[in-house]
Each structure stands twice: as structure tokens, then as C-alpha cells.
């Protein structure tokens, strides 16, 4: 069990969290009217419900390698056109967020997975991508995690070297034979990277995959779809976001992207980007974007696992190896070989999957809607030391100090000056932290330090 997961289960940590939440609620003039209840516990994050006089809130704590999610969400939400919920408060040094209860997760309600909702999700996802791209000078303040197309081949070579250099008994080890087989796909990766790098579309900040658990559907049809879980987010090509989702839709409907109903859904995402290129040209970018999206997800998962315990690494090894093989365009036989070796090492360690955790025994179960709403916020990214990083992760952008960065944040877009946001109606006075958004923009202390260091 990872060190931070053990910490999340300790009474001392719980008391610290309760104290912080109480101070946040006091700043807003809101009263807590029941005990905290834990609804998720995983390697990436833990989420709790907070019953209050104004309705249910959600507290989220993210794993140390993803601690920057708290600050990132507070920073980009004002420029998302309502597609990213603005947290009520964040504690960026701890990776804590306190947010309102908004919408129902696609993963929690099968009725929301119909064609109309799916088309709407793709359309709103494109609107969010363009909103963040149009606000780069504000969104990039303090730096952003990056995985741009022209960097992907270099990352995969270094990632493969890292896997191969691990001891043979290590859960994430890749054998020399498998490494040679995987390298054969590097030419395909380079060609895909060249195609995306040459496209006229601007890079955007994306979650990594358009996963149902990261999509919240509000009760009102006029309200925007919301996207949560930004711990694994990267600054990348905008079509990488939907690559896996399109692939899954084609599998579900047993058709090609050019066939209905997938074509209508994909068109909803492509339509806003036709200001950069014709739709036929945009469609040609989907396949290379899908290929490169696997590298982005591999890096985000490796950032988490390199700081975790061997049992956690073993549990996630098959998924990691599958992403690596897919990112390197490996043929099916090679993918089976790489994943098979990881599965065998997993069984040798006696672990069969990711640790999900269970609710605390002294607490009553939540309603079905609550876990669904919070499951979408499950993905989450604290800085690692160089000893925990691969060579690719140790590169640092000029404007950030290594001690304040996650590995992914060390390849970032240019730093910009802090942006201003219209404060919410309530403006209660506060003393020292917690860092609430009552009466001021949700820009955290760490982002200010980064701006000062970059000036």
C-alpha cells in the first residue's frame, strides 16, 4: 500500500482534514451538519462527502505525484466557460480541494450514455478545449504539464529504456526481447507525431481521455457539461482527448469512425475546429492522435507508480504495459507478450488489481448518486524527487524550480502573469489559510510563487 494511502486512513490525517474543512465552511458562513463520509479510496485520490446546511460538498485529496491538480483546477476553471467546476477552496501544498456537488457522472447513470448525451459530451468537450486554448496566456500561468506531439517519440524511447533497465523481478520490467519488438514501432510513432505537429490546431490542456467517470451531466439541459479529474492532464494536441473514446464507440457499435452513429458523434467534436481546417482534413488526424494519446496516459500513470509501492506497481503493471505497447504501435502478438509477462509477475506477487478501498466502517453508505458524482474526480497529480523520476521527467522549464514541480510539469508552456477573475457573490473575511475562493480569484499561493520566480 502506498505511503499516502496509509496516511489517508490515519486518524491524525482525518483530524487535519476536518479542521481545514471547518475553517473553509466558517469563511463561507456555512455549517457542517453531519460527519464526513469517504466514498472513494484509490492510489490516485480519496474523496469524501461533506454534508452542510447549503447542501452536499465534496472533499478530494490527491496523491503526492499529482498534488498540482488542486492548483491547476483553481487556475483554469475561470477560463473554462463553466465546463470545469470552480472549487470553493484549495490547499495546494496538500493537494486538497473542496467543491460543490454538481451534476451526475456518466459512469454512474446508464441513462446518460445514450447517443444524444454522448454527442453533447463531445461537443462540449471541444468547446472546453478551444476555451482553454484561447486563454493560453492566463491558463499557462505557473506552467502546465506537457506532452506535445514532437516530444512523444523521445519520451517513448526514454520510457522504454527505463522499463528495460529495471531489475528482471521488478513489476514494470520489460525484457530485452520485448524491448526490441516494441522499438520496431518507433517509425510509426514518429510519422504520427510529424502529422500532428504539422497540423494547424493549437495545443490544449486535456484530461488524457474522455472517460465517463470524468464527465458530469447537470440536471438542466441548458447548463454546460462539466469535466473533472485533472490530475493526469497534459498540454497536448486536442484530438488526443477523444481518440480512445472514438475507438470504444466503434467497438460498441461495431463500425468505423466514418459510419453512423459514430460519425455524427465525432462530427460534434470536430465542428468547432473547422475554423482551422476542413473537416475531411481533421478526420485524418484522429488515427495519429489516438496513437499518441497512449503515450500521454502512460506517462501520467508512470508518474504515479514510480512513487508507489511494489504491490501497487504490480497491480497496475498489465495496464502500464498495454499502454506502452499501444503507444509504440506494437502488433497484437507483441502486445500479448508484453502484457503476459506483466500479468505473470503480478500473479507471482499475489495481487490482482488496483486497490479500491472500502468505506470507513463507522459510516453509513452514501446514496448511489453521490459516489457517481465524485468518481469523476478520481484522477489526481506532489512533486517527486529526481531519484523517483525517469530521465525524461527530470527536464525542467526555465520558469519553474524543480522542488515545486511534478515530473510532468517540468515540460511546460511559457509562464504568464496571473489572471483576474470576478469573485463570487459571498466575500467573507478570512484570516490565514485555508485558501478559499470567497472574495478573491482562485489563484493559489504556489502559482504566485512560480510567477515571482519566473519574473
Amino acid at each position: 500500500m502506498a505511503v499516502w494511502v496509509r496516511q489517508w486512513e490515519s486518524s491524525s490525517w482525518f483530524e487535519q482534514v476536518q479542521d481545514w474543512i471547518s475553517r473553509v465552511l466558517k469563511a463561507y458562513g456555512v455549517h457542517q451538519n453531519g460527519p464526513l463520509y469517504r466514498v472513494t479510496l484509490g492510489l490516485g485520490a480519496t474523496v469524501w462527502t461533506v454534508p452542510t446546511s447549503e447542501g452536499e460538498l465534496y472533499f478530494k485529496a490527491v496523491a503526492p505525484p499529482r498534488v498540482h491538480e488542486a492548483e491547476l483546477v483553481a487556475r483554469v476553471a475561470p477560463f473554462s466557460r463553466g465546463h470545469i467546476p470552480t472549487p470553493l477552496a484549495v490547499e495546494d501544498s496538500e493537494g486538497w480541494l473542496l467543491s460543490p456537488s454538481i451534476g451526475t457522472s456518466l459512469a454512474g447513470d446508464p441513462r446518460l450514455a445514450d447517443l444524444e448525451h454522448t454527442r453533447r459530451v463531445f461537443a462540449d468537450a471541444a468547446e472546453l478545449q478551444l476555451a482553454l486554448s484561447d486563454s493560453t496566456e492566463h491558463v499557462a500561468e505557473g506552467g502546465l504539464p506537457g506532452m506535445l506531439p514532437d516530444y512523444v517519440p523521445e519520451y517513448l524511447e526514454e520510457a522504454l529504456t527505463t522499463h528495460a533497465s529495471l531489475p528482471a523481478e521488478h513489476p514494470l520490467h520489460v525484457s530485452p526481447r520485448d524491448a526490441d519488438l516494441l522499438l520496431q514501432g518507433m517509425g510509426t510513432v514518429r510519422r504520427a507525431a510529424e502529422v500532428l505537429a504539422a497540423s494547424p490546431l493549437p495545443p490544449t490542456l486535456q484530461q488524457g481521455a474522455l472517460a465517463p467517470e470524468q464527465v458530469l451531466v447537470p440536471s438542466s439541459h441548458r447548463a454546460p457539461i462539466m469535466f473533472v479529474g485533472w490530475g493526469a492532464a497534459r498540454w497536448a494536441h486536442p484530438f488526443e482527448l477523444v481518440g480512445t473514446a472514438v475507438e470504444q464507440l466503434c467497438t460498441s457499435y461495431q463500425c468505423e469512425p466514418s459510419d453512423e452513429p459514430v460519425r455524427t458523434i465525432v462530427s460534434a467534436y470536430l465542428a468547432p475546429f473547422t475554423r482551422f481546417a476542413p473537416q475531411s482534413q481533421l478526420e485524418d488526424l484522429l488515427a495519429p492522435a489516438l496513437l499518441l494519446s497512449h503515450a500521454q496516459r502512460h506517462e501520467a500513470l508512470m508518474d504515479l507508480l514510480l512513487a508507489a509501492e511494489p504491490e501497487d506497481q504490480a497491480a497496475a503493471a498489465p495496464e502500464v504495459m498495454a499502454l506502452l505497447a499501444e503507444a509504440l504501435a506494437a502488433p497484437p502478438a507483441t502486445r500479448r507478450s508484453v502484457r503476459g509477462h506483466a500479468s505473470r509477475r503480478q500473479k507471482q506477487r499475489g495481487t490482482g488489481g488496483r486497490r479500491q478501498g472500502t468505506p470507513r466502517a463507522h459510516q453509513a453508505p452514501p446514496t448511489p448518486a453521490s459516489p457517481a458524482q465524485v468518481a469523476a474526480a478520481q484522477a489526481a497529480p506532489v512533486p517527486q524527487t529526481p531519484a523517483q523520476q525517469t530521465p525524461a521527467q527530470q527536464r525542467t522549464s526555465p520558469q519553474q524550480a524543480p522542488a515545486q514541480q511534478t515530473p510532468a510539469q517540468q515540460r511546460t508552456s511559457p509562464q504568464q502573469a496571473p489572471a483576474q477573475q470576478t469573485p463570487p457573490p459571498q466575500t467573507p473575511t478570512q484570516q490565514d489559510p485555508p485558501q478559499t475562493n470567497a472574495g478573491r480569484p482562485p489563484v493559489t499561493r504556489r502559482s504566485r510563487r512560480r510567477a515571482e520566480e519566473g519574473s
Side-chain angles (χ1 to χ4, degrees), residues 163-286:
H163 281 289
S165 64
L166 294 171
E169 66 276 9
H170 194 282
L172 303 178
H173 171 74
V174 171
S175 69
R177 176 181 176 276
D178 286 341
D180 289 340
L181 291 172
L182 289 171
L183 273 174
Q184 295 176 11
M186 191 57 69
T188 303
V189 174
R190 289 195 179 95
R191 288 190 292 273
E194 291 170 0
V195 169
L196 292 188
S199 73
L201 276 64
T204 59
L205 183 69
Q206 49 177 273
Q207 298 159 284
L210 201 59
E213 62 271 15
Q214 293 178 270
V215 179
L216 298 182
V217 180
S219 55
S220 171
H221 186 78
R222 287 188 284 183
I225 299 286
M226 286 167 288
F227 302 88
V228 296
W230 292 86
R234 296 292 186 270
W235 197 251
H237 191 280
F239 286 7
E240 293 182 38
L241 174 67
V242 296
T244 300
V246 171
E247 187 178 53
Q248 292 171 346
L249 284 172
C250 291
T251 300
S252 298
Y253 290 104
Q254 298 183 341
C255 68
E256 298 297 322
S258 58
D259 299 331
E260 294 296 348
V262 176
R263 180 178 175 80
T264 297
I265 295 172
V266 172
S267 295
Y269 187 83
L270 299 183
F273 292 96
T274 55
R275 76 191 207 195
F276 300 104
Q279 180 158 327
S280 58
Q281 183 179 338
L282 298 178
E283 291 172 350
D284 293 338
L285 301 176
L286 289 173

Side-chain angles (χ1 to χ4, degrees), residues 320-342:
V320 171
M321 296 310 172
L323 288 172
L324 182 63
E326 289 167 351
L328 284 160
T334 302
R335 298 184 192 188
R336 287 193 296 269
S337 174
V338 173
R339 186 161 186 169
H341 292 163

Side-chain angles (χ1 to χ4, degrees), residues 71-88:
E71 177 191 1
L72 180 63
V73 170
R75 176 154 39 98
V76 303
F79 308 99
S80 70
R81 299 177 188 170
H83 289 295
I84 301 177
T86 300
L88 300 174

